[in-house]
Amino acid sequence: MALLGLGGAFAARWFNIGGQVDDASLSAPDAMAAAQTGQITLIDIRRPDEWARTGVPFGAVPLDMRRDDFVTALLAQDGVAKDKPIALICARGVRSRRLSKQLTDDGFTKIIDVPEGMLGSGAGPGWVKRGLPVTRP
């Protein structure tokens, strides 16, 4: 029974079942609209193999969060600064939530999470299922 409990907890975390859109986050459609109007810079923090599988959200900058120079590469993007709105999207909102906290701890003041991610979570169906546009890397 304990193993089932651990499996359930792992699944809940993996699929971000408790994810929700709140004051520090955006739904996928709202993130797309804000990126297209220049209100935010949308960063897809997933791996290159994930970008190849689903595409990158239209208007997003693909930037693998595993890069040793991630913060430097992030700050090198047009319009990005520690005090400008930056939205992070991953597959299901787990990595973007974790990275949002890390960047906030590093002095970024306007980090926004897209908790439903590309594939969906408890926060919503995700970019792909919503049929939002993607580009191929």
Side-chain angles (χ1 to χ4, degrees):
M1 280 314 239
L3 187 56
L4 285 177
L6 286 175
F10 176 77
R13 183 168 178 225
W14 176 259
F15 291 104
N16 197 17
I17 291 172
Q20 59 185 348
V21 176
D22 59 23
D23 291 343
S25 63
L26 290 171
S27 69
D30 289 343
M32 183 185 79
Q36 288 179 342
T37 59
Q39 296 171 344
I40 64 167
T41 300
L42 180 59
I43 307 292
D44 185 340
I45 63 169
R46 298 175 302 146
R47 299 181 314 265
D49 63 297
E50 293 175 285
W51 302 329
R53 231 180 349 267
T54 64
V56 173
F58 182 76
V61 174
L63 189 60
D64 187 339
M65 71 178 280
R66 300 170 307 158
R67 289 177 58 155
D68 290 337
D69 67 339
F70 178 83
V71 172
T72 301
L74 176 61
L75 289 169
Q77 302 301 313
D78 284 339
V80 172
K82 287 190 171 189
D83 63 345
K84 301 275 184 177
I86 302 165
L88 305 176
I89 190 168
C90 64
R92 298 190 183 276
V94 175
R95 290 172 285 180
S96 59
R97 179 180 59 229
R98 186 174 62 234
L99 186 57
S100 292
K101 181 178 178 351
Q102 289 173 354
L103 291 174
T104 300
D105 290 348
D106 285 345
F108 287 81
T109 59
K110 296 181 180 170
I111 298 296
I112 303 160
D113 186 17
V114 183
E116 65 186 276
M118 290 296 287
L119 303 177
S121 74
W127 195 282
V128 173
K129 282 189 181 172
R130 288 181 183 272
L132 298 174
V134 296
T135 56
R136 294 292 169 182

